[in-house]
Amino acid sequence: MAADLSNIVKAYDVRGVVPDEWDERLAELFGAAFVEVTNASAIVIGHDMRPSSPGLSGAFARGAAARGVDVTLIGLCSTDQLYYASGLLDLPGAMFTASHNPAQYNGIKLCRAGAAPVGQDTGLAQIRELVEKWSEEGAPETAPVAAGTITERDTLAGYAEHLKGLVDLTSIRPLKVVVDAGNGMGGHTVPTVFDGLPLELVPMYFELDGTFPNHEANPLDPKNIVDLQARVLAEGADLGLAFDGDADRCFVVDERGEGVSPSAITALVAARELARNGGTGVVIHNLITSWSVPEVVREHGGTPVRTRVGHSFIKEEMAKSGAIFGGEHSAHYYFKDFWNADTGMLAALHVLAALGGQDGPLSELVAAYDRYQGSGEINSTVADQSGRMAAVKAAYAGQDGVSTDELDGLTVTGADWWFNLRPSNTEPLLRLNVEARDTATLHKVRDEVLALVRA
């Protein structure tokens, strides 16, 4: 019987419970299907610290090598380190990680040569079809061909040097920074990236442990940065950084222990990247980032471009427009100088350089980039997503001074507020984000929309 992979092949990656939903046998078929769809002659593979990652990535490598493809294994790495290897070697890549998901999960993030994205519309649907077919009848024999080689390569030092070559931190004032790696891959990458910089590093949960004994490796959930906030205050540190499980996202805490909005970080980095590019360039932002982002981009001479949520849309628009930088509300940051791929580590280096290049605290520095009040993402469980969306649209349609668009879900914009309501692709949820010029307006709009959604 053919495997049904509909629950584990998502919009941008593969992700599911091991071994219940997928295992090494399927991983080997994914390796064979990946090289079939990409027509690769060589690939690069990395993995995170989850207990199942070495076995799954090894099986994927065997599946690829059996079809004559040479495989480079870079071993333990962050997702953006895998993108670095894909860009450096100009090879398609596979990263074995389930990011911030619980320990029983694992997954694969795939890219083409040069870290170009692989999503449903760019090969992932074809890969799924082949794996489902081959799970029943086996992968077809290839023409007589020698098996590919499997070799190992260490890319950590090169990754660190590449990042430090993009942001100059040699002349900043000394900073004390607390880093919470969440027992994820930041514990592997941060010591090498920070080595030699004028930083006093206070490490938290740097031990690689895919069972996540201290807290979930998802810094966007406020409960997972409580330890970091307390430690920043206890140490009198200049800032704190929290990485997710595969260390491609970075969340920032200021000297008061307060979380800094990813939109404010997007605006700050955008201003720096525009300055580095002569005050011109396109900056991508998804439609849930703050109004602050396009405002700051325009103020610094750039052109903001608004996109749907999701890294495949951002990367596609980055390539199409030649954008220098892109940011999302979820703390994903994309750089032209990093093959248009996302790297939270490079964003963190920009924050450190900006903070260390002046004398004030981080809270004062980011205030210029954090101009509005935001609700954060509010999830509501609903039985009829489309019906509730239609009710919300009807309630606001035709109101004076109010506009709507449906680029991604429903966005409704008033004179001093906006909200976006989007259905989840995988759960019976509607996700609401609201922003306004003041707290009273924020609460009024939020409560009005939630009353309609939860009616």
Side-chain angles (χ1 to χ4, degrees):
M1 180 177 174
D4 178 6
L5 303 182
S6 58
N7 287 332
I8 71 166
V9 179
K10 312 294 186 182
Y12 318 120
D13 60 13
V14 177
R15 202 172 299 193
V17 176
V18 178
D20 299 3
E21 294 181 305
W22 72 297
D23 55 18
E24 291 182 17
R25 173 179 166 270
L26 284 176
E28 188 166 335
L29 294 177
F30 270 109
F34 180 57
V35 301
E36 182 87 3
V37 170
T38 60
N39 198 30
S41 58
I43 62 171
V44 58
I45 302 173
H47 66 79
D48 70 8
M49 67 293 137
R50 291 167 185 268
S52 60
S53 289
L56 291 170
S57 60
F60 187 98
R62 291 194 299 274
R67 304 185 81 76
V69 169
D70 293 331
V71 177
T72 298
L73 300 176
I74 64 170
L76 281 167
C77 66
S78 61
T79 291
D80 62 330
Q81 189 182 333
L82 185 277
Y83 293 150
Y84 162 78
S86 172
L88 175 74
L89 303 174
D90 198 30
L91 295 178
M95 174 67 189
F96 280 76
T97 182
S99 185
H100 60 277
N101 286 123
Q104 67 268 31
Y105 285 79
N106 214 323
I108 324 171
K109 294 182 178 181
L110 300 168
C111 62
R112 294 179 184 269
V118 171
Q120 281 289 344
D121 299 330
T122 51
L124 193 53
Q126 296 169 270
I127 291 169
R128 171 190 162 182
E129 289 171 8
L130 288 176
V131 175
E132 288 180 335
K133 178 182 177 183
W134 293 349
S135 68
E136 182 175 32
E137 58 192 48
E141 294 291 328
T142 58
V145 62
T149 60
I150 299 179
T151 57
E152 296 181 1
R153 177 168 177 156
D154 187 352
T155 60
L156 180 57
Y159 158 80
E161 288 307 309
H162 179 75
L163 293 181
K164 288 189 280 191
L166 297 174
V167 183
D168 183 11
L169 292 113
T170 55
S171 59
I172 65 169
R173 62 184 169 94
L175 297 173
K176 187 174 189 178
V177 53
V178 182
V179 177
D180 183 346
N183 299 108
M185 293 311 304
H188 179 70
T189 57
V190 167
T192 301
V193 175
F194 283 15
D195 184 47
L197 300 176
L199 304 171
E200 180 185 347
L201 172 62
V202 180
M204 294 181 66
Y205 312 140
F206 271 38
E207 305 78 20
L208 300 183
D209 189 338
T211 67
F212 306 112
N214 294 291
H215 59 70
E216 291 179 357
N218 180 14
L220 282 188
D221 187 333
K223 71 175 183 289
N224 295 323
I225 63 164
V226 171
D227 292 356
L228 175 64
Q229 292 170 305
R231 190 67 177 273
V232 166
L233 293 173
E235 294 280 348
D238 293 291
L239 76 164
L241 303 173
F243 290 91
D244 66 347
D246 59 335
D248 62 348
R249 288 188 297 154
C250 182
F251 193 84
V252 181
V253 169
D254 69 20
E255 81 287 349
R256 306 167 304 171
E258 299 290 328
V260 180
S261 158
S263 287
I265 299 300
T266 296
L268 182 154
V269 177
R272 288 178 53 83
E273 284 289 272
L274 284 164
R276 213 165 68 86
N277 285 272
T280 62
V282 172
V283 172
I284 309 298
H285 65 99
N286 75 25
L287 50 72
I288 298 178
T289 55
S290 169
W291 268 342
S292 300
V293 175
E295 287 177 3
V296 168
V297 170
R298 291 189 186 99
E299 289 163 11
H300 287 79
T303 303
V305 173
R306 179 173 174 263
T307 74
R308 296 177 62 184
V309 174
H311 80 263
S312 65
F313 303 115
I314 297 273
K315 288 178 178 175
E316 180 182 342
E317 191 61 46
M318 291 275 292
K320 186 168 73 174
S321 65
I324 59 174
F325 175 64
E328 294 199 87
H329 71 294
S330 53
H332 281 288
Y333 306 104
Y334 306 79
F335 295 83
K336 181 178 183 179
D337 291 332
F338 200 77
W339 301 278
N340 292 332
D342 46 321
T343 165
M345 187 70 77
L346 184 51
L349 293 181
H350 272 285
V351 173
L352 292 166
L355 178 59
Q358 49 89 65
D359 294 329
L362 183 59
S363 59
E364 291 181 8
L365 176 65
V366 299
Y369 305 106
D370 199 5
R371 304 170 178 180
Y372 302 96
Q373 302 297 313
S375 67
E377 193 157 86
I378 304 168
N379 291 325
S380 301
T381 302
V382 294
D384 180 11
Q385 290 173 316
S386 59
R388 290 297 87 209
M389 292 274 291
V392 173
K393 182 179 179 180
Y396 287 91
Q399 289 189 20
D400 287 344
V402 173
S403 63
T404 64
D405 77 64
E406 297 180 67
L407 173 66
D408 192 352
L410 173 67
T411 301
V412 180
T413 305
D416 55 2
W417 55 267
W418 64 266
F419 70 81
N420 175 268
L421 188 66
R422 298 164 52 243
S424 166
N425 291 323
T426 57
E427 302 171 271
L429 298 175
L430 288 178
R431 308 190 190 281
L432 173 67
N433 285 269
V434 187
E435 183 174 73
R437 294 190 188 278
D438 59 75
T439 303
T441 304
L442 172 72
H443 290 168
K444 177 177 179 291
V445 175
R446 177 198 65 192
D447 294 347
E448 285 177 354
V449 180
L450 287 177
L452 292 164
V453 167
R454 297 172 178 176

